[in-house]
Every structure is written in C-alpha cells, then in structure tokens.
Amino acid sequence: MKQLIAPILPTVLAPGDWDQFTDYDVLEDCHFQNQTILGSFHDIELKHCQLTNCDFSQADIHGMNCIHVIFDHCDLSNFDFNNVTMHHVIFRNCKLMGMDCSMSSMKHVQILSCLGRFANFSFATIDYFLIQESDFTESVWNEVTWKHRNLSDSNFQQAEFLNTSLRELDVTSCEIAGIRVTTDSLVGVQVSALQAVSLMELFGIIVKE
C-alpha cells in the first residue's frame, strides 16, 4: 500500500473545552483531554485537533467532519459519522463499537488497536486506509468503494462484505471465519490455505483430503 499521510498538528495545541462550542462551530488547533461530551450538536468540524481520553458515548452529535485529527483512548461507541468527511485521522486505542461511518468519505485514515465490533462502513468511499490489531467482529462493509487499504492482524469474524471488492487485499494475518461475502467480492483476495477452505465452505463446496 502507498504511504499513509498522518495528521498534521501544530507543535502547541490550545486546551480545548467542548462546553464552549455550539452547532456549526469549527474547533481548530485544540487538545481536548479527559472530557465527557454531553448534549446535542449538529454539523461541527474538527481541524488539527487531538482528543485524549474523551467520552462521546453519551453525546448526540449529527455530522462531525474531521480534518487532521487524532483520537487517542476515546470512547466513540455508537457514534454517528454518517455521511461525513474524515481526512488524515488516527483512531488509537479507541472504543468504536457500533460506530456508523456509512456513506462517509475517508482518506488517510488509520485505526490502530481499537474495538470496532458492529461498526458500519456501508457505502463509504475510502482511500489510503489502515486497520491494525483491532477487533471488527460483525462489522458491516457493504457496497464500499475503496483502494490503497490494508487490514492487518485484526478480527473480522462474521463481518459482512456484500458487493465490496477485496481484490489485492491481503487478509492472511486476520481472522475471517464466518464472513458474509458475495462471490464477486472474493476475486483477487489473498488468503491462507486454511482461510481458503473456510471460504469455500461458505458456498457449499466440500473439500476432501
């Protein structure tokens, strides 16, 4: 995969206080630390920000574009990233369970050591993308348009990839037992011998020794 470009942040970030912001605000050059985000927000944007140990699980946010942002040890469980722009973003050691990224535009996004069970990326457009050492069991990736992507040492058991091309994707280091795919999705995917047997069984093919 070609080189991912990490978020670019200022050397010094101003302390951020989420309580100061309202709908349609742009939050820029800030570091939010140890905050629990409450309340309802619409159409906000983070630019050149870092969020450390922040809890969004109780917030009701509709539309949060992220440009050059790092989420570190944050709880984004069930967060609504539907139909947003997410460019140059890192999620590191975050809870992303049930996160909805459907129809989003994602470019240069890294997901590292995160818990993303049940997350939904359907109909997303993705370019330059890395998931590493993360759990995306039962996640949904239907009708995704993507390229320059790498899935490494991660769990995708029972995940769904319907009408999403896995061409040239190496999943040999990942757990993929029980995934749901369409036959055309598998063209050109790189798997281990054991994974190949498991995939054939999905389509009723019996392998004899």
Side-chain angles (χ1 to χ4, degrees), residues 152-167:
S152 173
D153 299 304
S154 297
N155 190 344
F156 291 91
Q157 292 185 77
Q158 301 181 51
E160 195 168 279
F161 295 89
L162 303 183
N163 299 312
T164 295
S165 174
L166 305 180
R167 183 182 293 275

Side-chain angles (χ1 to χ4, degrees), residues 175-194:
E175 295 288 340
I176 61 169
I179 64 169
R180 293 180 287 277
V181 293
T182 41
T183 53
D184 57 332
S185 298
L186 294 174
V187 175
V189 67
Q190 300 176 37
V191 298
S192 69
L194 288 175

Side-chain angles (χ1 to χ4, degrees), residues 18 31-37 46 49-58 64 69-79 81 89-97 99 111-116:
W18 200 277
H31 189 186
F32 299 87
Q33 298 186 73
N34 305 316
Q35 297 187 35
T36 298
I37 315 303
L46 298 176
C49 290
Q50 179 165 341
L51 300 95
T52 304
N53 196 32
C54 291
D55 184 354
F56 288 84
S57 63
Q58 302 176 64
M64 187 169 80
V69 176
I70 297 174
F71 294 93
D72 189 6
H73 288 84
C74 292
D75 189 346
L76 292 149
S77 299
N78 300 310
F79 195 88
F81 277 119
V89 175
I90 292 177
F91 297 94
R92 184 168 51 232
N93 295 297
C94 292
K95 294 181 180 178
L96 311 177
M97 293 181 296
M99 181 175 70
I111 301 177
L112 311 174
S113 301
C114 292
L115 181 58

Side-chain angles (χ1 to χ4, degrees), residues 99-114:
M99 181 175 70
D100 182 9
C101 293
S102 58
M103 296 187 289
S104 60
S105 171
M106 306 176 73
K107 191 168 185 178
H108 294 284
V109 172
Q110 302 178 57
I111 301 177
L112 311 174
S113 301
C114 292

